[in-house]
Amino acid sequence: MADALRYLTERDVVSVLNIHRAIDALQDMLVAQAREEARNLPKTLATWGDGSSMHALGSVQTGPAGYAGFKTWVHTKAGGGSLFSLFDAATGTLRAIIEARALGMLRTAAISGVATRTLAPADATRAALIGTGPQAVTQLAALAAVRPLRQVRVYSPTPEKRQAFVASVAGKYDFDIQASPCLEHALADAEIVTLITRAVEPFVDAAMLADCRHLNAVGAILPAKAEFAQDVFSLADRVVVDDLENARKGSRELREQYGSDATPWQGVSVLGQLLAAGESRPDDARLTIFKGMGMGLSDLTMARVVYEHARDHGLGVELPPQTRENLLLSQP
């Protein structure tokens, strides 16, 4: 049933998506966004209690084969969950409900991959990965997919966690991966630095990035949190975001640097617009910064790839098509 509503599990998502496919698909979507063929709905969020939060992201890709979708998720100290609802943009028909944890991890890594491929020096071989949570695995894969790495140093505050992370990826890549005893050791000589942490206060400053040429800051996505200090901006020749509206609402680092009111942010570029214009790393740039906040189009890109593969290969649980008649018949 080509028109069946499909429920797709995390296992279905992982079986379809790999990081190379995710990066290429997302780059195409970012160009479509710059050409006004796709757009985001700004992120909405609410917080409560001791760090709990709920979020919603929306997006639409227009055209004869377009889709619209919403990702919704909740995070608490006790756990959380996320779902993506994918609709046909032309008919409004619900096409799929997709478990979205792996989807989110892959889209966050994919946007870092697109940014790194666009902005980092082409010959960069040394990287630092700061943070060893679940998303660090796909962030490492994204770095490996776009640059000829020779070494990656990994750091997080808990020795057992960083050692366990390195052990979990050992043998998967043809470059050296080592756990660093301290943050300074991890950052030394690193040309590319990726921050994927839950830090509340900035912990990386300009002095620590003496050798860095490109910084991916993708961990702090709430306005109360930050990963890098304000003096890092003094090194930057280009500051790039995935979505300007989301950054204005949620990036503490950029809000403190450029203002939190309606004043235009001079000097901040949008990744999709750079791609559509054929722009990349400025000549002789000292440092480029990419601040990824997460946006609906990133999730929509992953959802589209997964859904179309599942539809064509019969994956997932098929449910009756969503029609007005079905909805009316289901009423008591």
Side-chain angles (χ1 to χ4, degrees):
M1 255 191 329
D3 293 330
L5 168 62
R6 293 179 183 274
Y7 186 90
L8 301 172
T9 66
E10 302 287 3
R11 185 183 296 273
D12 294 322
V13 172
V14 172
S15 73
V16 172
L17 274 177
N18 60 56
I19 194 62
H20 293 277
R21 190 175 190 181
I23 290 171
D24 290 342
L26 183 51
Q27 180 155 332
D28 290 341
M29 182 67 85
L30 292 172
V31 172
Q33 178 192 16
R35 294 173 177 167
E36 299 185 348
E37 298 166 359
R39 64 181 183 269
N40 289 300
L41 275 66
K43 179 189 291 187
T44 60
L45 67 93
T47 60
W48 68 94
D50 187 15
S52 296
S53 59
M54 61 187 298
H55 310 249
L57 282 172
S59 55
V60 59
Q61 181 184 22
T62 57
Y67 295 91
F70 298 91
K71 178 183 174 182
T72 52
W73 74 102
V74 172
H75 172 77
T76 72
K77 286 190 173 181
S82 57
L83 288 173
F84 192 94
S85 304
L86 183 70
F87 295 82
D88 186 307
T91 66
T93 303
L94 180 63
R95 293 301 187 193
I97 299 172
I98 307 172
E99 294 178 359
R101 183 171 182 269
L103 202 76
M105 292 169 63
L106 280 161
R107 64 92 153 143
T108 302
I111 198 75
S112 294
V114 175
T116 303
R117 183 161 67 182
T118 305
L119 298 169
D123 58 352
T125 62
R126 302 183 304 277
L129 179 62
I130 312 303
T132 55
Q135 294 207 43
V137 175
T138 47
Q139 289 289 329
L140 177 62
L143 291 174
V146 299
R147 285 298 179 265
L149 299 178
R150 292 190 300 165
Q151 182 184 75
V152 176
R153 290 178 176 173
V154 178
Y155 178 77
S156 63
T158 307
E160 294 79 11
K161 289 184 178 179
R162 60 180 182 257
Q163 293 288 354
F165 176 85
V166 171
S168 72
V169 297
K172 295 183 179 180
Y173 300 97
D174 60 358
F175 51 83
D176 176 51
I177 305 173
Q178 58 179 259
S180 288
C182 63
L183 178 61
E184 290 76 10
H185 179 270
L187 296 176
D189 301 325
E191 299 161 286
I192 302 171
V193 173
T194 295
L195 309 178
I196 183 70
T197 74
R198 292 182 178 176
V200 175
E201 296 298 328
F203 63 92
V204 172
D205 60 28
M208 295 178 179
L209 299 175
D211 299 303
C212 183
R213 297 296 176 263
H214 175 69
L215 173 66
N216 293 310
V218 291
I221 60 171
L222 295 174
K225 298 184 176 183
E227 294 180 304
F228 64 90
Q230 289 296 294
D231 64 353
V232 172
F233 287 106
S234 68
L235 305 177
D237 297 280
R238 175 161 281 174
V239 177
V240 181
V241 298
D242 53 351
D243 182 80
L244 191 57
E245 185 66 24
N246 287 341
R248 291 181 69 94
K249 286 185 174 183
S251 171
R252 175 177 161 189
E253 294 110 335
L254 272 68
R255 284 161 62 91
E256 290 181 359
Q257 176 69 16
Y258 297 103
S260 57
D261 56 17
T263 303
W265 281 5
Q266 299 296 329
V268 179
S269 303
V270 177
L271 183 58
Q273 293 174 356
L274 293 181
L275 292 168
E279 296 184 38
S280 57
R281 182 179 180 83
D283 293 339
D284 302 320
R286 165 63 182 84
L287 177 70
T288 52
I289 298 173
F290 174 69
K291 180 64 188 179
M293 295 296 299
M295 62 177 183
L297 282 173
S298 296
D299 292 291
L300 183 65
T301 303
M302 305 300 109
R304 175 176 185 160
V305 171
V306 171
Y307 166 69
E308 291 184 347
H309 183 95
R311 177 198 63 196
D312 296 342
H313 294 83
L315 298 180
V317 178
E318 292 187 357
L319 303 174
Q322 181 203 32
T323 65
R324 181 174 297 178
E325 291 75 13
N326 287 342
L327 292 173
L328 290 174
L329 289 172
S330 68
Q331 300 301 311

